[in-house]
Structures are given as C-alpha cells and as structure tokens.
Amino acid sequence: MNRDQIMGGFKDTAGRIQRKLGQLVGSRRQEAKGTGTQAEGKTQGAVGDASDAFEKTTETVKNVSRR
C-alpha cells in the first residue's frame, strides 16, 4: 500500500461519517461536504491503486529484461 491508498481510505471514511452526520442533523450542506470528501477519497485511492499497479508492472518488466 502506498500513501495515496491509505489517505484515500481515510478521506472516504471521514466523508461517509460527515455525510451521515449531516443526514442525522438535517444539514444538506454537511451532507454535500461529506459526499465531496468521500469522492475525493475514492479518487485519491484510485490514483494510489494505479500508481501501485504501475510500480509492480515496472518491476516485472525489469525482472524479465534481466533474464
């Protein structure tokens, strides 16, 4: 796991909590902020996944080229 994957997970969770609290207190503004934070977290997590996949592919290519 890389930093983007971890931080993305935290932001996604924080956004879910913020969205649910907004629903509980009836604040559409908090709900919207939570949804935005959640989307940001999912995006950051996806960037981390892509970065991780790229690094693994690069390592595989290096290992194949050494043979």
Side-chain angles (χ1 to χ4, degrees), residues 11-34:
K11 285 181 184 178
D12 181 33
T13 301
R16 284 178 201 242
I17 292 168
Q18 188 176 19
R19 185 172 51 86
K20 289 291 184 183
L21 286 173
Q23 288 173 344
L24 285 173
V25 299
S27 173
R28 291 186 186 243
R29 184 175 180 187
Q30 281 304 109
E31 272 186 74
K33 282 184 177 182

Side-chain angles (χ1 to χ4, degrees), residues 4 7-9 11-12 33-47:
D4 284 325
M7 292 305 296
K11 285 181 184 178
D12 181 33
K33 282 184 177 182
T35 300
T37 302
Q38 193 174 359
E40 184 181 333
K42 287 182 186 232
T43 302
Q44 187 171 4
V47 168

